[in-house]
Amino acid sequence: MSARSWPSSPLAAAGRAFTLLVQPPTHVGFDGRGFEGVPDEIVPLERLRTLLLAPQTSVEVRDAVWRELVTRARRDGPAWVVAAVGIAMPGLRHVAGMLAARWRGDTRDLDAELLVGFVERLQSIDLEPPRVVGRLIDAGLRAARKARDADSDAPLVHTDATGPIAPIPPWDHPDLVLARAVAAGVIDADEANLIAATRLEHATLTQAAARIGITPSLASSWRLKAERRLLEAIRDGSLAFVPLRPRRRGAATSQRVAATQQRMAAAPRRVGAAGATPQRRAVGSPWGNAATADVVLATPQQAFVGKTSDRQAADVGAPGVGVRPA
């Protein structure tokens, strides 16, 4: 094949490489024996991709197949990396189309960053949680968005005038990082308030614990676990593109959110060893007045609600905040 016939687009080139990989005779095929919902034979990769895209294929089957694909990509070399990219290509193209919307630059650069983020995540992704391929594509999306935003947010430097240049919004203030973490469900509002009070405002754990009605030892445990989750989320880029402004929602969505909040309000509240009912306060002002029922987390922009932390699922500590995707 001549160089002229090879596609210039990174996604198209990856698609061509996958097509060449699966041409007979090929040594790369998926062993479906032992996988429920997959034919009990060596399945050609293009047929496997069709099977995974079929509506009748369950999420459990998709995750099981993708765990094996990621394992083969790590263990058996570049051919299986190409195979993983090729099988995920419909999802990658969908994300690439969203990234290219209203983008005036070279979309090939975004496609390249998308592929790099996807392939790099193959080596480190945790295979235990669900949505294996979804999380791989999300990693590629974050990498492409980071490159796109770095290009579009580059400030203009005027050489005919001197003076300070304003930082690129939102300036990554610590309160905004905590707000994004609550919106993404990494921590809840109580945990964010503990971190803000003790790390940013230099309050003691005893003072911070008293404000939300728990013991200092329990507050220390909450803060330690929350900071570990926060550190992991910052390192893997999960908080880089979390919007702080609530999206508009239709009447049906509003009714579901209202019903969820009513169920949570009626559920028994438990605060661990302290036995007290905490007050929910706005992040960034743990010593101010208690937040109203509709304002769980206040930021310098607007109030919004995030997802519950894993403490509620374990029935330990203060209840989480209302559930609504950011």
Side-chain angles (χ1 to χ4, degrees), residues 24-320:
T26 178
H27 66 286
V28 181
F30 186 84
D31 188 354
R33 292 171 292 184
F35 288 87
E36 184 178 356
V38 180
D40 194 19
E41 60 186 12
I42 302 299
V43 183
L45 295 183
E46 65 271 34
R47 182 183 169 192
L48 180 66
R49 179 170 65 182
T50 303
L51 174 67
L52 295 179
L53 290 174
Q56 61 269 25
T57 303
S58 67
V59 175
E60 291 76 15
V61 171
R62 292 192 182 98
D63 281 337
V65 170
W66 267 101
R67 290 186 181 102
E68 178 65 16
L69 289 173
V70 172
T71 300
R72 298 294 297 270
R74 293 173 179 176
R75 185 187 66 196
D76 297 340
W80 282 95
V81 174
V82 173
V85 172
I87 294 174
M89 188 59 66
L92 291 171
R93 289 192 182 278
H94 175 71
V95 169
M98 295 191 301
L99 288 168
R102 298 184 298 277
W103 174 248
R104 297 182 179 180
D106 192 344
T107 57
R108 291 177 296 182
D109 293 338
L110 299 182
D111 293 347
E113 294 295 335
L114 177 65
L115 286 174
V116 168
F118 180 93
V119 172
E120 287 182 347
R121 191 59 171 158
L122 275 174
Q123 305 304 318
S124 61
I125 191 170
D126 184 359
L127 297 180
E128 290 298 327
R131 291 189 65 252
V132 177
V133 66
R135 289 183 287 123
L136 286 169
I137 294 175
D138 288 345
L141 175 62
R142 287 195 298 269
R145 278 180 171 172
K146 184 177 181 180
R148 185 189 65 180
D149 293 349
D151 191 5
S152 61
D153 289 340
L156 296 177
V157 178
H158 300 279
T159 58
D160 56 345
T162 59
I165 298 176
I168 299 172
W171 308 294
D172 283 336
H173 189 281
D175 283 345
L176 296 180
V177 176
L178 293 175
R180 293 193 195 101
V182 174
V186 176
I187 60 177
D188 68 18
D190 287 326
E191 293 166 334
N193 284 331
L194 279 174
I195 296 173
T198 58
R199 301 301 192 191
L200 304 179
E201 300 184 12
H202 307 294
T204 66
L205 270 174
T206 301
Q207 292 171 329
R211 299 301 298 179
I212 59 175
I214 61 176
T215 63
S217 60
L218 185 57
S220 176
S221 176
W222 285 8
R223 186 182 66 176
L224 176 62
K225 294 178 181 179
E227 287 178 339
R228 287 174 178 172
R229 296 196 302 271
L230 183 62
L231 178 61
E232 182 180 355
I234 292 173
R235 283 177 173 173
D236 67 18
S238 299
L239 305 183
F241 303 100
V242 178
L244 296 183
R245 295 178 180 175
R247 296 176 179 174
R248 294 182 178 178
R249 58 193 183 197
T253 304
S254 300
Q255 292 174 357
R256 289 195 299 269
V257 171
T260 301
Q261 292 174 343
Q262 290 175 0
R263 289 195 299 271
M264 293 181 65
R269 302 175 61 135
R270 184 177 176 186
V271 194
T277 300
Q279 290 180 325
R280 296 187 290 182
R281 301 185 177 278
V283 168
S285 57
W287 311 118
N289 296 327
T292 63
D294 293 332
V295 180
V296 175
L297 176 64
T299 71
Q301 298 179 3
Q302 294 184 20
F304 63 96
V305 290
K307 295 161 70 174
T308 59
S309 71
D310 58 356
R311 294 186 296 104
Q312 183 181 0
D315 198 25
V316 176

